[in-house]
C-alpha cells in the first residue's frame, strides 16, 4: 500500500514538471508554445494577397512569412531578368521595347511565362501567393505527398480563383521532378522541406531548365552549425565546424552540396542571393549547363582550418586556376600546395580542426540583390525586415568568406570589449576592408590577415590592460598577449566605419523570437497525431518506467 501511495505521488510531481518543461522556450528545436493546444480545425490564414484555410492537420508556420515574401520578390525579379535575357538572345526587339514587354500583371496566364514547381506545398499558400503576386507566370504546380494537404490545396485554389495558374499534384516530390527531367522542365523550383533538403537535390538539378532558378531552404541548423559534423557529412558531404561564423558556413556547405549534385550532370550553380534568417537558411541559385565550366568547381571550394583556441581560420582551396603561359585566353587548372597552416596556430599555439569543403566563391550577386531591393512592394508584411537585410547584403564584402565576431575576439584575451565602430575604424585605418554580415550582429568580415586582427586586439589591450588574474590559467590568452604587435594601429574614428544601413536605422537583424518561432513539428497529416501532444504524453516516459520498476 505504501508503495502505491509513493508511486501516485511520484506521477503527480512528474506531470507537473512535464507541463512546466513543455512551456519553456526551446529556440531552434520546436515551436514556442505557451500552452498545449489542439490544432484549430478550419483555420483561416491571411497573408499577402492570399486567403487560405487549413484543416488543422497540414503544416503551416507563420514565421516563414519572411521566407515567402522574399521568395515572391526574388522570383518576380528573376522573371523580368529572364525575359530580358531571352529577348537579347533572340534579338527580336529593340531596347526601347523592353519597357513595354516588362509590363505584366499578376494573376494572368502568359504563354512565355514562368513554369514553377513548389515541390512541398502543404496548404498551397506559397503557390497561391505566387499566382496572385508575381507577374508573368504560365503555370504553377503545387505538389504534396499528403492526401490531406492536397485536399486543402484544391479548396484554397478554388477559393482564391487561381485555377488558371495553379494545379495541385499528389505525388512524391522526387518522383515528380524525375518525370520532368527530359520534357517540360521548370523555370523555377522551390524546395522548402522540413529539415534537410539534400534528398531532393538530385532530381531538382535535372528537372530545371538551363539558367533556371532553384530556391532551397534548410532548417536543420544544428547539423549545419557544427553540433553533429558526422551527420552533416552524411547529409551534405561536408564536415561542419562549431565556429562563431557557423551560419554563413551553413550557407556555404549547402551551396557546395547543390554544386556537387549539379556537377554530376555537367551543370553548375550561380548563387544570386543567400540569407540566414531565424532558424533556417535560404539560398537562391541559378543552374547553368556546361561541362567545361564545371572544371571551375574545385577553385570555388575550400577546406577550413579552424583554430580550437582563438577561433581563427584559414582556407585551403581544392583547386586553382592560372592563366595559360602561351595563351592568355586559356586557363590552366592545377592543384594547390598545402596545408596553409602549421601544426599549431601561430597566434595562440592551439591545434586545428579541419572542416569542409565549403563554397568560397561569392554567395550573392550585387546587381540582382539591388533589383530585388528596388522591387520590394511596401504591402508585404515583412517589408521593413527585407529592406534592412538586403541593404546589409549589399554592404557585405563579396570575395571574403566567413568572418570573426567582436565578442569572441575580446573574450579570448579577456579584454574590455571595444565598440564596433572602434574596431572597424582600426581595420580601415590599417588599409584593409571591413563589413558586417547579415548573419551576425557582431560580425567582422574583413580581408585583413589573422595576424593583423590580433595585432589590433593587442594594441587595444595595451590601452585597456587585461587583469592578470583573469588570464592566469588561460594559455590561449597568455600566448597571444605575450607577442608584441608588429606596429601600432590607430583607433581614430574612420568616416566609413559606420555603414549606411545602420545610419538609416534599418531593421538589420532578426527580431526577438515570437510565439510559434522555430521550425515547428512535422505536419499532422504525416505522423497521424498532434506531435506536441504526443511529446507531452511521452514526457519522462522512460524514466517513469524505470522508477516504477524500482518501487516494486
Amino acid at each position: 500500500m505504501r508503495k502505491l501511495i509513493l508511486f501516485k505521488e511520484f506521477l503527480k510531481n512528474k506531470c507537473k514538471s512535464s507541463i512546466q518543461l513543455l512551456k519553456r522556450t526551446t529556440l531552434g528545436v520546436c515551436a514556442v508554445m505557451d500552452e498545449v493546444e489542439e490544432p484549430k480545425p478550419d483555420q483561416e490564414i491571411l497573408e499577402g494577397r492570399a486567403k487560405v484555410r487549413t484543416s488543422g492537420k497540414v503544416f503551416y508556420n507563420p514565421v516563414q512569412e519572411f521566407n515567402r515574401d522574399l521568395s515572391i520578390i526574388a522570383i518576380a525579379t528573376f522573371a523580368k531578368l529572364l525575359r530580358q535575357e531571352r529577348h537579347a538572345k533572340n534579338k527580336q526587339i529593340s531596347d526601347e521595347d523592353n519597357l513595354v514587354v516588362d509590363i505584366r500583371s499578376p494573376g494572368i496566364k502568359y504563354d512565355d511565362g514562368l513554369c514553377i514547381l513548389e515541390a512541398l506545398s502543404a496548404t498551397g499558400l506559397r503557390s497561391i501567393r505566387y499566382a496572385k503576386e508575381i507577374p508573368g507566370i504560365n503555370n504553377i504546380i503545387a505538389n504534396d505527398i499528403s492526401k490531406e494537404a492536397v485536399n486543402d490545396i484544391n479548396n484554397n485554389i478554388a477559393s482564391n480563383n487561381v485555377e488558371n495558374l495553379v494545379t495541385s499534384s499528389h505525388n512524391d516530390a522526387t518522383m515528380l521532378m524525375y518525370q520532368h527531367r527530359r520534357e517540360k522542365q521548370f523555370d523555377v523550383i522551390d524546395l522548402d522541406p522540413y529539415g534537410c533538403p539534400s534528398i531532393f537535390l538530385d532530381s531538382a538539378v535535372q528537372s530545371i531548365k538551363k539558367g533556371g532558378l532553384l530556391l532551397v531552404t534548410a532548417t536543420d541548423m544544428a547539423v549545419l552549425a557544427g553540433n553533429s559534423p558526422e551527420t552533416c557529412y552524411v547529409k551534405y558531404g561536408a564536415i561542419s565546424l562549431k565556429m562563431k561564423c557557423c551560419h554563413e558556413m551553413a550557407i556555404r556547405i549547402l551551396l557546395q552540396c547543390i554544386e556537387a549534385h549539379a556537377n554530376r550532370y555537367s551543370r553548375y550553380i550561380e548563387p544570386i542571393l543567400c540569407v540566414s534568417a531565424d532558424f533556417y537558411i535560404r539560398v537562391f541559385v541559378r543552374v547553368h549547363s556546361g561541362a567545361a565550366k564545371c572544371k571551375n568547381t574545385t577553385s570555388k571550394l575550400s577546406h577550413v582550418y579552424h583554430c580550437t583556441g582563438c577561433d581563427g581560420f584559414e582556407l585551403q582551396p581544392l583547386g586553382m586556376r592560372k592563366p595559360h603561359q602561351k595563351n592568355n585566353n586559356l586557363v590552366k587548372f592545377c592543384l594547390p600546395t598545402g596545408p596553409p597552416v602549421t601544426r599549431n596556430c601561430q597566434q595562440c599555439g592551439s591545434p586545428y580542426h579541419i572542416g569542409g569543403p565549403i563554397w568560397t566563391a561569392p554567395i550573392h550577386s550585387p546587381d540582382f540583390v539591388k533589383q530585388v531591393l528596388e522591387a520590394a512592394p511596401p504591402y508585404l508584411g515583412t517589408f521593413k525586415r527585407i529592406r534592412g537585410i538586403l541593404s546589409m547584403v549589399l554592404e557585405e564584402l563579396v570575395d571574403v568568406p566567413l568572418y570573426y565576431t567582436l565578442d569572441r575576439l575580446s573574450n579570448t584575451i579577456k579584454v574590455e570589449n571595444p565598440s564596433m565602430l572602434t574596431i572597424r575604424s582600426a581595420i580601415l585605418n590599417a588599409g584593409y576592408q571591413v563589413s558586417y554580415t547579415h548573419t551576425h550582429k557582431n560580425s567582422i568580415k574583413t580581408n585583413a590577415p589573422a595576424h593583423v586582427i590580433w595585432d589590433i586586439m593587442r594594441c587595444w589591450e595595451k590601452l585597456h590592460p587585461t587583469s592578470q588574474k583573469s588570464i592566469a590559467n588561460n594559455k590561449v590568452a597568455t600566448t597571444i598577449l605575450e607577442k608584441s604587435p608588429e606596429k601600432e594601429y590607430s583607433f581614430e574614428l574612420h568616416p566609413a566605419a559606420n555603414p549606411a544601413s545602420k545610419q538609416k536605422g534599418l531593421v538589420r537583424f532578426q527580431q526577438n523570437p515570437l510565439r510559434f518561432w522555430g521550425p515547428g513539428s512535422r505536419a499532422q497529416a504525416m505522423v497521424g497525431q498532434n506531435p506536441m501532444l504526443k511529446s507531452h504524453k511521452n514526457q519522462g516516459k522512460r524514466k517513469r518506467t524505470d522508477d516504477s520498476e524500482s518501487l516494486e
Side-chain angles (χ1 to χ4, degrees):
M1 187 66 180
R2 182 173 173 273
K3 289 183 178 180
L4 182 60
I5 294 172
L6 290 174
F7 180 62
K8 288 182 178 179
E9 192 68 25
F10 169 78
L11 288 180
K12 182 179 179 181
N13 293 333
K14 289 298 292 183
C15 287
K16 287 183 179 179
S17 61
S18 298
I19 293 172
Q20 291 173 354
L21 181 62
L22 190 64
K23 291 182 179 179
R24 293 175 188 169
T25 302
T26 310
L27 301 181
V29 178
C30 65
V32 176
M33 300 292 288
D34 292 333
E35 56 185 3
V36 180
E37 294 179 348
E38 290 281 358
K40 296 179 181 178
D42 203 23
Q43 179 185 3
E44 186 176 84
I45 301 167
L46 296 172
E47 188 178 292
R49 302 279 172 83
K51 179 191 292 186
V52 301
R53 303 188 81 90
T54 175
S55 60
K57 296 182 179 181
V58 180
F59 180 75
Y60 166 72
N61 194 341
V63 177
Q64 288 276 31
E65 182 179 0
F66 171 79
N67 185 324
R68 291 183 284 267
D69 285 352
L70 182 60
S71 300
I72 286 169
I73 315 169
I75 295 175
T77 304
F78 169 74
K80 183 178 179 180
L81 179 63
L82 193 62
R83 291 197 299 272
Q84 292 174 350
E85 290 177 353
R86 288 173 178 173
H87 292 322
K89 184 177 180 180
N90 296 331
K91 296 181 180 179
Q92 294 178 347
I93 60 174
S94 63
D95 293 338
E96 290 77 8
D97 293 331
N98 275 333
L99 295 175
V100 178
V101 173
D102 284 338
I103 299 177
R104 297 194 174 190
S105 302
I108 300 176
K109 185 181 181 71
Y110 294 88
D111 292 336
D112 61 342
L114 295 180
C115 297
I116 302 175
L117 169 65
E118 186 191 1
L120 307 141
S121 193
T123 62
L125 172 61
R126 189 183 295 255
S127 291
I128 292 170
R129 288 197 62 189
Y130 287 173
K132 302 188 78 169
E133 300 178 49
I134 299 176
I137 290 178
N138 178 271
N139 71 290
I140 302 170
I141 296 179
N143 176 73
D144 205 284
I145 197 173
S146 164
K147 193 171 183 179
E148 290 88 345
V150 175
N151 290 336
D152 279 359
I153 292 170
N154 287 328
N155 294 333
N156 291 327
I157 290 173
S159 64
N160 283 271
N161 299 317
V162 290
E163 297 95 329
N164 62 323
L165 292 177
V166 185
T167 306
S168 67
S169 168
H170 182 208
N171 208 333
D172 177 85
T174 55
M175 292 306 300
L176 177 61
M177 287 186 283
Y178 279 131
Q179 292 169 8
H180 288 261
R181 285 184 302 170
R182 305 298 180 192
E183 298 178 356
K184 297 182 179 179
Q185 292 179 316
F186 302 101
D187 295 294
V188 178
I189 295 179
D190 192 332
L191 299 176
D192 191 359
Y194 180 92
C196 177
S198 61
I199 61 174
F200 305 103
L201 296 179
D202 184 80
S203 54
V205 296
Q206 295 184 71
S207 58
I208 196 166
K209 292 180 181 179
K210 295 179 182 178
L213 181 65
L214 178 61
L215 299 76
V216 185
T217 301
T219 63
D220 54 339
M221 292 302 293
V223 173
L224 287 166
N227 287 349
S228 184
E230 63 283 351
T231 304
C232 187
Y233 182 80
V234 170
K235 292 185 175 183
Y236 295 94
I239 297 294
S240 57
L241 296 172
K242 215 164 189 178
M243 306 170 64
K244 281 292 186 178
C245 56
C246 59
H247 289 92
E248 182 179 323
M249 190 167 181
I251 291 174
R252 295 181 180 276
I253 288 175
L254 177 57
L255 290 176
Q256 72 81 30
C257 183
I258 301 173
E259 175 81 347
H261 283 281
N263 285 168
R264 299 185 183 107
Y265 307 101
S266 299
R267 292 190 147 192
Y268 63 96
I269 66 170
E270 175 196 359
I272 53 178
L273 174 60
C274 302
V275 297
S276 170
D278 299 320
F279 53 86
Y280 61 89
I281 55 175
R282 178 75 160 168
V283 300
F284 301 76
V285 302
R286 297 191 69 177
V287 181
H288 302 285
S289 296
K293 293 288 185 69
C294 291
K295 294 181 180 180
N296 294 319
T297 295
T298 55
S299 61
K300 300 175 184 177
L301 304 177
S302 299
H303 284 291
V304 181
Y305 285 76
H306 172 230
C307 176
T308 57
C310 65
D311 208 42
F313 57 87
E314 295 289 343
L315 301 175
Q316 172 67 58
L318 270 62
M320 297 178 64
R321 299 168 70 252
K322 292 183 177 180
H324 199 276
Q325 294 180 352
K326 297 182 180 179
N327 189 341
N328 293 331
N329 295 325
L330 299 177
V331 175
K332 182 180 180 181
F333 298 94
C334 56
L335 294 177
T337 58
V341 296
T342 56
R343 177 176 289 273
N344 293 322
C345 176
Q346 294 183 348
Q347 303 302 322
C348 70
S350 302
Y352 286 94
H353 283 157
I354 305 175
I358 66 169
W359 180 273
T360 46
I363 62 175
H364 309 296
S365 168
D367 291 337
F368 181 81
V369 175
K370 190 178 298 183
Q371 293 180 48
V372 173
L373 182 58
E374 293 172 352
Y379 76 83
L380 294 175
T382 61
F383 169 75
K384 290 183 179 180
R385 187 178 176 192
I386 287 175
R387 186 177 64 168
I389 288 183
L390 294 185
S391 297
M392 287 203 71
V393 166
L394 286 174
E395 293 171 350
E396 289 183 17
L397 296 178
V398 177
D399 297 321
V400 179
L402 307 182
Y403 56 87
Y404 302 93
T405 60
L406 182 56
D407 52 340
R408 175 61 173 165
L409 291 173
S410 300
N411 187 58
T412 299
I413 57 176
K414 308 301 178 184
V415 71
E416 178 185 328
N417 204 28
S419 69
M420 185 60 76
L421 288 180
T422 300
I423 200 72
R424 285 168 61 91
S425 295
I427 295 172
L428 291 169
N429 291 332
Y432 297 97
Q433 296 176 299
V434 65
S435 75
Y436 281 98
T437 171
H438 74 281
T439 63
H440 200 291
K441 63 180 180 180
N442 290 326
S443 55
I444 300 173
K445 183 182 279 288
T446 178
N447 60 349
H451 71 87
V452 172
I453 298 298
W454 284 115
D455 275 356
I456 290 174
M457 295 305 297
R458 291 184 186 104
C459 290
W460 176 257
E461 194 275 337
K462 285 185 177 181
L463 299 175
H464 306 269
T466 300
S467 169
Q468 293 301 313
K469 184 179 179 180
S470 63
I471 62 171
N473 298 319
N474 190 324
K475 184 179 178 181
V476 172
T478 303
T479 305
I480 292 175
L481 294 177
E482 280 178 349
K483 300 178 181 179
S484 300
E486 294 181 359
K487 66 176 185 178
E488 294 297 322
Y489 290 89
S490 171
F491 294 97
E492 183 179 350
L493 185 63
H494 193 280
N498 196 13
S501 60
K502 185 176 181 180
Q503 294 179 28
K504 294 177 182 178
L506 301 179
V507 180
R508 302 185 302 153
F509 301 102
Q510 66 185 48
Q511 300 170 350
N512 291 331
L514 307 174
R515 192 166 185 259
F516 301 120
W517 187 92
S521 302
R522 289 185 184 275
Q524 256 196 91
M526 300 298 295
V527 298
Q529 59 177 303
N530 186 345
M532 291 304 297
L533 293 177
K534 181 180 179 182
S535 174
H536 172 54
K537 178 182 176 182
N538 293 334
Q539 193 71 250
K541 182 177 180 181
R542 180 175 298 177
K543 190 170 183 180
R544 289 202 304 269
T545 303
D546 295 341
D547 290 342
S548 62
E549 290 176 353
S550 65
L551 291 172
E552 294 293 336

